[in-house]
Amino acid sequence: MSTSEPLDIDESVHAELIRLRESIDNIDAAVVHMLAERFKCTQQVGHLKARHHLPPADAAREARQIARLRELAESAKLDPAFAEKLLNFIIAEVIRHHETIAYKEQEQDQS
């Protein structure tokens, strides 16, 4: 991300910006790694569902997860609506993966 900061910015302010941005970068890296781990697990779920001919989506589970995440967000002082949007985005991607896995497993069964 590129920003144009004033050249005459106070050195202590600049140092604090750098410190905070380094923390943000570290948190972003952790989020990416956690999402990667989450998707590894959901891929395994997708294969298990496909092998047992279970549907890619589970609306009841999704509703429970959304309610749970909204509560976690509230206790963490994060906007619950934002947390829900984020989880809905992730769930949609997981379902897409599960559908792809099911399709591929079905093709293998037909071969």
Side-chain angles (χ1 to χ4, degrees), residues 62-88 91:
E62 293 158 22
R64 287 191 308 272
Q65 285 298 91
I66 289 168
R68 181 177 155 275
L69 196 72
R70 286 185 69 92
E71 286 179 19
L72 287 170
E74 284 182 30
S75 69
K77 307 288 190 255
L78 179 68
D79 179 4
F82 169 77
E84 183 173 346
K85 286 178 192 174
L86 178 62
L87 187 59
N88 280 327
I91 288 170

Side-chain angles (χ1 to χ4, degrees), residues 23-36:
S23 290
I24 290 166
D25 292 349
N26 289 337
I27 293 165
D28 288 346
V31 167
V32 167
H33 287 281
M34 292 301 296
L35 282 171

Side-chain angles (χ1 to χ4, degrees), residues 11-48:
E11 196 167 313
S12 65
V13 172
H14 188 258
E16 183 70 357
L17 276 172
I18 290 172
R19 184 189 70 75
L20 290 168
R21 287 175 176 164
E22 286 173 351
S23 290
I24 290 166
D25 292 349
N26 289 337
I27 293 165
D28 288 346
V31 167
V32 167
H33 287 281
M34 292 301 296
L35 282 171
E37 285 301 310
R38 188 185 197 286
F39 277 101
K40 285 178 190 173
C41 291
T42 60
Q43 290 287 341
Q44 292 175 23
V45 168
H47 286 286
L48 185 63

Side-chain angles (χ1 to χ4, degrees), residues 1 34 40 58 66 77-79 94 101 106 109 111:
M1 178 186 289
M34 292 301 296
K40 285 178 190 173
D58 181 344
I66 289 168
K77 307 288 190 255
L78 179 68
D79 179 4
V94 167
I101 291 167
Q106 186 180 25
D109 288 348
S111 314

